[in-house]
Amino acid sequence: MLSRIAESLFWIGRYLERADDTARLLDVQMQMLVEDPATDEVTSCQQLFAVMGIEDFEGVPNRWSMLDLLAYDQKSPSAIASVIGSMREAARSARETLSTDVWSAINTTWQGVPAATSMRPVEMFNWVRRRTAMISGTADDSMPRDQGWYFYVLGRSIERTDMTARLLSTAASAGASGIAWQNTLRACGGYESFLRTYRGIERDTAAAEYLLLDRWFPRSIVSSLSEAERALTRLDVAGRRAGFSDEGLRLLGRARTEIEYRPLNEILETMPFEMERLQRACAAASDAITARYFAQEDWHSWTGRVSL
C-alpha cells in the first residue's frame, strides 16, 4: 500500500471524528451557557479556547466568536466547516481505495456545508452528527478489513481519545456543576447507558469514571486507546517476542495504563492536567505513526489483507 493512501485513510478517520466531536463539544458548551446561570460566559469561552489550542484570539471571547472559530469559519483550521473540507481533500487522495458509497457520503457532506453554516447552532450540530454517523456507518459496511481499514480505525481512535479528553477537561473546568457532567454524557451518547450501568445514580465521580475507564463504552478513554492499540497491532506484521518496535504503540499503551491502573481520585484531583498530558501523548503517538508508516514511498513487503 502506498504511504500516501495510508496517510489519507488515517486522516479521513481523524477528520471524521474531529468534526463529530467538535459538534458534541460545542453542544455541551452552549447548553452550559444556557442552562447554568452561574457560568461566566467570557471565562467559559476562554477555557474552551485553551482546551482547543486556540491561543492567539484577539478581543473578548463570547459564544458568537466561539461558534465562528470552531464551527462556521472555513478559514479557521479548528472549525467544523474547515475540518469537513480537509476530510474531503483526504478522501480525494484515497479515492481509488474508497467505495463509491463512502466517497459519495463524504462529498455530499462537504457540499452541504454552506447550507449548514446558515443554520442555528443546535441544528448545525445535529446535522454534523447525523452526517458523520452516516459516513462512519457506510465505511463500516463497505470497507474491507485490510490495511486501509486499520489505518482509518487508528486515526479515528486517536482522535476520539484526544477529543474525549477535551470534553472531560471542559466538564472538569466547570467545577462542581452537575449539569456539565450530564451534558458531557449526553454529548458522548452515553447518558442512558450510564444510568443503566450505575442504576440511576448520578454522581460527578461516576460520570468521570464511566467516560475515563469503562471498557465497554466505545467513547471512553480506555476503550478508544485500546482500539487504537489493536489497530496498530494488526499493522505491525513483523511482531516481537519482547518490547515494542512501534513507538506509537508503546506511547498509546503507556497512556492507557497510566489512566487505567491509577486510582480514580488521583486523576480527578488534577483532571485538566491529566487530560492535557493525554492529548500530548496522542500527538506524540501520531507523530511516531507518521514517521514509521507515512514517510516511506511504499511498503513492498506489506501486501494483501491483514490477518485477523
Side-chain angles (χ1 to χ4, degrees):
M1 175 180 285
L2 292 175
S3 58
R4 171 182 60 83
I5 302 297
E7 186 172 16
S8 295
L9 292 167
F10 175 81
W11 280 102
I12 289 171
R14 292 206 66 164
Y15 288 135
L16 178 64
E17 190 67 29
R18 187 175 301 177
D20 182 28
D21 288 344
T22 301
R24 294 171 183 270
L25 192 150
L26 288 173
D27 195 19
V28 168
Q29 187 75 4
M30 291 296 290
Q31 288 188 53
M32 282 196 300
L33 291 174
V34 171
E35 297 176 10
D36 189 353
T39 300
D40 181 76
E41 182 170 338
V42 173
T43 302
S44 179
C45 291
Q46 286 175 336
Q47 290 172 345
L48 180 61
F49 286 171
V51 166
M52 295 298 291
I54 298 174
E55 300 176 349
D56 56 351
F57 178 77
E58 298 180 359
V60 179
N62 55 43
R63 69 187 68 188
W64 308 116
S65 59
M66 174 188 73
L67 291 171
D68 190 46
L69 278 174
L70 295 176
Y72 299 130
D73 188 359
Q74 297 189 40
K75 295 182 180 179
S76 171
S78 302
I80 293 171
S82 175
V83 170
I84 291 174
S86 298
M87 177 174 62
R88 197 242 187 189
E89 288 303 309
R92 285 183 61 191
S93 298
R95 179 64 187 89
E96 61 267 35
T97 63
L98 294 176
S99 68
T100 300
D101 289 342
V102 173
W103 164 251
S104 178
I106 293 174
N107 195 49
T108 301
T109 302
W110 173 74
Q111 290 175 335
V113 167
T117 54
S118 64
M119 298 176 181
R120 293 188 302 117
V122 66
E123 293 173 347
M124 181 186 183
F125 302 152
N126 288 334
W127 177 83
V128 171
R129 292 173 66 171
R130 288 196 303 271
R131 293 305 308 179
T132 54
M134 177 179 289
I135 296 168
S136 180
T138 304
D140 188 66
D141 284 346
S142 63
M143 288 182 68
R145 272 37 177 182
D146 56 8
Q147 296 166 6
W149 166 259
Y150 286 111
F151 278 114
Y152 162 78
V153 169
L154 178 60
R156 183 185 67 186
S157 300
I158 290 176
E159 189 69 27
R160 179 171 293 179
T161 301
D162 180 88
M163 294 301 288
T164 300
R166 294 173 193 269
L167 276 165
L168 288 168
S169 183
T170 301
S173 298
S177 173
I179 293 175
W181 286 105
Q182 290 177 24
N183 288 337
T184 301
L185 284 165
R186 289 192 176 98
C188 291
Y191 185 67
E192 290 80 8
S193 61
F194 165 77
L195 291 179
R196 289 194 299 271
T197 301
Y198 288 87
R199 304 182 187 278
I201 300 174
E202 296 187 42
R203 297 193 310 270
D204 295 352
T205 54
E209 180 181 55
Y210 189 69
L211 294 172
L212 280 167
L213 303 173
D214 195 285
R215 298 182 182 91
W216 292 358
F217 181 56
R219 286 190 173 274
S220 76
I221 295 292
V222 166
S223 177
S224 300
L225 285 170
S226 297
E227 186 73 15
E229 288 181 77
R230 284 192 291 270
L232 269 179
T233 301
R234 300 295 189 204
L235 291 167
D236 189 12
V237 295
R240 287 174 64 93
R241 292 184 62 175
F244 296 94
S245 60
D246 191 320
E247 179 67 9
L249 183 58
R250 186 188 68 79
L251 290 167
L252 292 173
R254 179 177 178 179
R256 176 183 57 78
T257 54
E258 287 179 348
I259 294 293
E260 189 171 17
Y261 294 103
R262 285 178 61 193
L264 179 63
N265 289 337
E266 285 188 12
I267 302 174
L268 295 180
E269 286 173 0
T270 56
M271 176 74 88
F273 172 77
E274 295 296 338
M275 295 302 98
E276 183 180 351
R277 185 167 67 171
L278 183 58
Q279 291 168 46
R280 289 198 298 268
C282 288
S286 183
D287 290 342
I289 290 164
T290 297
R292 177 181 172 92
Y293 295 106
F294 307 147
Q296 306 172 52
E297 184 63 28
D298 61 2
W299 305 311
H300 298 289
S301 60
W302 288 24
T303 56
R305 293 175 180 267
V306 177
S307 58
L308 298 176

